[in-house]
Amino acid sequence: MNFQFTEEQLMIQQTAKEFAEAEIAPTSVERDKKGEFPTEIVKKLADLGFMGMMVSPEYDGAGMDTISYVLAMIEISKVDASVGVIMSVNNSLVNYGLEKWGSDHIKNNFLKPLARGEKLGAFALSEPEAGSDATQQRTYAEKDGSHWVINGIKNWITNGQSADYYIVITQTDPELRHKGITAFMVEKGTPGFEHGVKEDKLGIRSSDTCSLTFTNCRVPEENVIWEVGKGFNFAMNTLNGGRYGIASQAVGIAQASLDASLKYAKERKAFGTEIANHQAIQFKLADMAMKVEAAKLLTLQAAGLKDAGLPYVKEAAMAKLYSSKVSVECALEAIQIHGGYGYVREYLVERYLRDAKITEIYEGTSEIQRIVIARELLKN
Ligand code: CAA
């Protein structure tokens, strides 16, 4: 695969890098400490077209390719993985599926403002008893005239408090297992729909995660996404598309760990010389650099296949599985290189580890990625 980036892709990468350093970095430490959502930053990302990167201009998106999205996601997540996941959920888990499977009503009324970044989206699949085993949906929607009435609880929802539009996956016919699952668009403020308190998380603390409660929440029938009974297929296909987003976030964190380690190793002295001159440190840096590069290439490969209209499910799962593993490994090595300084908040590397861990859990755990990869391998 050819990774000679076009001028446009390089320009988007540079724009993301400059934006992240100038607009995101100055507040990232404070927001992480306070668990504060980056409202103003998300507005500015929207001005850059980064909240609807791959949506076509017909639906008010920026019409960029997946490679550009990956490059931008890496640059943003290098500086702040919380901002990375907010951007990733809106682009990959919300916009992507709505453009591909949404009706004209959904595209005109929900996708357009989401792609412009005026509204923020969330994807509500997980439940207290349906995480990896996503067919076990308890949230139930029942038809009542021209509306559906939703009851149930969702949890671990990224952008849960700050979103305006929510994709909500529900059970509509339990006897049909996954073919009795339906996806809906639900607007914030719909009577019977409430969000819970913000989770006090280990990492990505500046993004908000919470539960959602539906109590006789009435949603018009035109808010069904794709069609009744297609909700599980919708969720699976959307998650296929989401994986290169989280893979990019993980690559960004891993790259940040490497960059911080290189800088520190050239400054810190021990045994009469900079620690970068010790082979023990050099070997760590070499391994980190190799892993970051491999993770980036896998992620770009998945994106390139998608842009070419070729199958990318296995490759996206591999990219997510490998990049998230590398992200945790590089963050741990960065702490080791920094010694005691790596263990305190004064240096950023402790946050990299806290932020990295979730990439092995959300949008399909590492165990789920292995299932997806193995199934694709055994298909033929
Ligand atoms: N792509 C497309 N379709 C798929 C698919 C995939 N990767 N995996 C399964 N399907 C389809 C199957 O083809 C089948 O459809 P048909 O009947 O139409 O052929 C249907 O789904 C059911 O398939 P299975 O019976 O094989 O499904 P399963 O019960 O064995 O589960 C699974 C498959 C892959 C384990 C699935 O449950 C899964 O992906 N679980 C993980 C869920 C997940 O990723 N949750 C993350 C929550 S989102 C999040 O984290 C967002 C956030 O806020 C950051």
Side-chain angles (χ1 to χ4, degrees), residues 172-215:
T172 43
D173 190 343
E175 298 200 345
L176 297 178
R177 195 179 171 257
H178 70 278
K179 290 189 192 299
I181 290 176
T182 304
F184 293 91
M185 233 26 252
V186 183
E187 283 187 63
K188 181 179 242 163
T190 307
F193 170 34
E194 282 175 2
H195 61 68
V197 294
K198 190 168 176 166
E199 301 290 351
D200 190 8
K201 301 186 300 254
L202 175 70
I204 55 160
R205 290 176 51 78
S206 174
S207 71
D208 70 55
T209 307
C210 67
S211 60
L212 310 176
T213 309
F214 300 89
T215 314

Side-chain angles (χ1 to χ4, degrees), residues 85 89 93 123 125-126 131-135 156-158 177-179 230 232-233 236-237 239-240 243 246 313 361-365 368-369 371-372 375-376:
V85 73
V89 165
L93 287 190
F123 180 81
L125 172 68
S126 300
S132 289
D133 191 0
T135 58
W156 315 128
I157 308 307
T158 306
R177 195 179 171 257
H178 70 278
K179 290 189 192 299
K230 285 284 191 190
F232 192 74
N233 296 74
M236 290 301 105
N237 283 299
L239 284 165
N240 288 335
R243 287 184 187 127
I246 298 305
V313 173
I361 299 171
Y362 59 18
E363 295 200 26
T365 60
I368 290 293
Q369 304 311 321
I371 290 176
V372 174
R375 285 183 178 185
E376 290 293 315

Side-chain angles (χ1 to χ4, degrees), residues 214-234:
F214 300 89
T215 314
N216 295 325
C217 174
R218 294 178 71 81
V219 175
E221 62 185 352
E222 57 267 28
N223 285 18
V224 169
I225 302 167
W226 198 350
E227 52 187 77
V228 174
K230 285 284 191 190
F232 192 74
N233 296 74
F234 171 78

Side-chain angles (χ1 to χ4, degrees), residues 4-13:
Q4 293 301 314
F5 301 125
T6 64
E7 267 185 41
E8 194 189 351
Q9 287 164 344
L10 289 170
M11 194 189 74
I12 292 162
Q13 182 185 38

